[in-house]
Structures are given as structure tokens and as C-alpha cells.
Amino acid sequence: MAYLGEPVPTVPQPRLPSEPADGQGPWLFTRPGPAPADGPVGAVLFGRDGTLLQDVVRNGDPAMVHPMAGIRAALTALRGAGYALGVLSNQPGVAAGLLGRGQVEAVQTRAEALLGPFDVWAVCPHGPHAGCACRMPSPGLVTAASRALGLPPARVTVIGCSDAVVVAALAAGAHAIRVPEAPRRPAVPCPPCTLTVCRSADGPEQAAELLLQR
């Protein structure tokens, strides 16, 4: 039996990586196999660093992967309610040559060993000046993950700790729940009027409760 706060004993399952031919879109890692006949009730996408996992700068080391407080309880509740789950992540260290694709995947594999499987990982491997459409706060990661799950953005909720993640969600037409941001990283400027349609929660567990009560 696994207790809250202990690693969840799971066997990471294979993911199918994909990348657009022009190299300008996101990296998507999805699970093979048919979806349930009735499909998910919706989807929840988590920002990776600072929301799902403790924020370690340019982390490519699985040993440095540590879940955020409350995230296990949130994932358990959402899976039990029939939601598909995914993760969003800007990884500019790839563009800077500080991280490789294998390191990004190794972090994902370790996260799944601790937290259970996710249906999609959507990663922007571009730098801040690349002009891509997937680096948050642009909406490309959210739209790509929603498409991979077979759901319209209106049936997707993004839970994140930064303005960039929230703005990306709202720009894509998804819902957003903001959780507290770690103090290390400065906030990305965003229009205050846009964020008024975003709900807030004390952490991932309360965010899941808000979503399930809706």
C-alpha cells in the first residue's frame, strides 16, 4: 500500500514522441492505445515546473525530480473522476544547448514513476526569441495538447503557477486555475483584465476540488 507522500509504485509506459517537420511546433509525448469508448469527462493540464514538480532550473536530472506538495492528492481525485491528464512545459534550455531531448524524457519518466501516467506531455523546446507559437504565454502548447487528447479547449482546464501558463490557457480558449508561484522566478507581465476570468486556489489539491465542484 502506498501512503501519501511516498512514491507511487508504477511502471512507466511507452510514449509516442512527435515533432513537426518544420521544427517550429512543440514536442508531444502521448500514450498509445485506444481511448475509452465514452472518452474523458474533460482534461486537466498542469504546468510542469512549480506546479507539478519542484522548480529546478533547466533540470535534466531525474534525481532532482520532486513532486509539489498536494499534487498526488489532486491527481488521484482527477483520475478517479475520469479526467485525462497532461503536462505543459517551456524548456528553453533545449534551444540553448543545455538540455537534450533524452534528458527531457528522463525527467518525464521519473515524474510518471512517482505520480502515475499522464496522457500527454507538451513541451516547447524553443528559446524566448524563436518566434514560435508554442512558447507560453502563446497558446500553442495548450491547443496542441487539447488536440492530442481529442478535446476542444473549452473542455480543458489548465492549472499553473505563472502568468505565462494562465495567459496561454485563456488565449487558447481553455479554463485556468492559478496556484501560488514559487518566489524564485519573477512573474511574466500579463494584462490584468485578462486574468480576472481566472480562478485561484491555495495549491493543486484545492484546484482539483474547485474543478470537481464545478
Side-chain angles (χ1 to χ4, degrees), residues 177-180 200-207 210:
I177 300 177
R178 176 77 176 264
V179 294
S200 61
D202 291 339
E205 189 171 3
Q206 188 187 60
L210 287 174

Side-chain angles (χ1 to χ4, degrees), residues 54-142:
Q54 293 179 17
D55 194 356
V56 178
V57 179
R58 302 186 186 93
N59 185 29
D61 182 0
M64 296 295 290
V65 173
H66 303 289
M68 292 292 289
I71 194 65
R72 288 192 178 97
L75 295 173
T76 298
L78 292 169
R79 287 186 179 114
Y83 282 87
L85 300 178
V87 185
L88 310 172
S89 182
N90 287 344
Q91 290 298 315
V94 174
L98 302 173
L99 290 174
R101 188 181 187 116
Q103 290 171 293
V104 173
E105 292 193 68
V107 166
Q108 294 172 182
T109 298
R110 177 58 178 164
E112 294 199 342
L114 294 171
L115 297 172
F118 291 87
D119 299 288
V120 63
W121 293 76
V123 177
C124 172
H126 309 114
H129 306 297
C132 68
C134 56
R135 179 178 169 82
M136 297 179 288
S138 295
L141 279 189
V142 179

Side-chain angles (χ1 to χ4, degrees), residues 146-158:
S146 300
R147 189 180 306 116
L149 295 171
L151 293 170
R155 290 179 57 194
V156 174
T157 297
V158 176

